[in-house]
Amino acid sequence: MNEPINKYRINEYLYKLNVRQYRKAMVLLPELLGISLNTFHNYRNILTEESKDIPYEKVILMEQLFEFELGTLAYQNPTSESLKALYIGQ
């Protein structure tokens, strides 16, 4: 059975914690991010095919809190050529 893939690696981090750490994280993370617990759960459950996103400042903060390298919270990072290469021509 195919399990849906989340857009962000939040659950990956949380599931590596023991029960005591997990419970404490679920109290601290929404506080540190300045969001409600419900919003945090919504962030955790965003799927790759959805157009929803987490605000950039929250992503950066979570990467620092989770000790992830910058730009690695998302499972997929879009890439593109430069504007000059695409439209302006060189």
Side-chain angles (χ1 to χ4, degrees), residues 13-26:
Y13 175 80
L14 292 173
Y15 294 156
K16 290 181 182 178
L17 302 175
N18 64 38
V19 173
R20 177 180 247 164
Q21 293 169 333
Y22 179 88
R23 287 181 182 161
K24 188 69 171 173
M26 294 310 294

Side-chain angles (χ1 to χ4, degrees), residues 7 22 37 41 56-57 60 64-66 71 73 82 90:
K7 190 181 268 189
Y22 179 88
L37 181 59
H41 285 303
Y56 182 71
E57 63 191 31
I60 296 299
Q64 292 170 356
L65 292 169
F66 297 166
L73 184 66
S82 71
Q90 292 181 327

